Amino acid sequence: MNRRLASAAVVLGSAAALLSTAGASYAATGAPAAQPAAASVTWQPCSEPSGYDHFFELRSATVHHGKVTVRVTPETCRVNKHDDEDVDYTATGAARTLVVPASASVKVLKDTTSPHKVTPRWLVTHDLDHAHFSYRLDARHQVGAMEQIYHP
């Protein structure tokens, strides 16, 4: 027997041994051998900045009849308890338009941790499409305050 045939016989023998081991595992349980379970993810609600009640994803901001309006999608937020960079946003309703009066408190992030105040009109000229915010409504169902949140 030459070396190529001997090598091929060894490879085929090894493959047959692996298949018979897997087959025995399948036959004993009636199912394929179980793989090790992945670590389970434990989700918890995202914490909102103090004084805020809801989350939304900002779709756009425009001026309509002299008032700043934002197109938002209400959502819930949850974060992986063991990895705070694993964040899941889920829409809780259809996109809607809200008025942001000039008196509203609006904070956006300079970087990942430094919020700074801007006027509501600032939102119109800056690209914050699909940014996530915490917000609260005032008695007239207008945005009384909103603060951008950072989740990678």
Side-chain angles (χ1 to χ4, degrees), residues 127-149:
D127 183 23
L128 291 173
D129 190 32
H130 300 292
H132 299 276
F133 286 82
S134 288
Y135 73 104
R136 71 173 170 262
L137 298 177
D138 62 17
R140 296 181 305 197
H141 298 289
Q142 297 179 347
V143 175
M146 60 189 277
E147 183 174 332
Q148 186 177 10
I149 54 176

Side-chain angles (χ1 to χ4, degrees), residues 15-100:
L18 284 173
L19 286 175
S20 68
T21 303
S25 173
Y26 184 87
T29 63
Q35 299 296 322
S40 64
V41 175
T42 304
W43 294 100
Q44 66 185 19
C46 294
S47 57
E48 298 167 343
S50 179
Y52 293 86
D53 301 321
H54 310 283
F55 291 106
F56 68 63
E57 177 183 10
L58 180 66
R59 296 290 184 160
S60 64
T62 59
V63 176
H64 186 69
H65 297 294
K67 295 183 179 184
V68 174
T69 60
V70 289
R71 187 81 175 149
V72 300
T73 301
E75 59 191 7
T76 60
C77 174
R78 64 184 187 157
V79 62
N80 181 341
K81 191 173 186 176
H82 304 291
D83 179 6
D84 65 352
E85 292 187 6
D86 185 9
V87 180
D88 179 48
Y89 291 97
T90 304
T92 59
R96 61 184 177 177
T97 300
L98 297 172
V99 173
V100 185

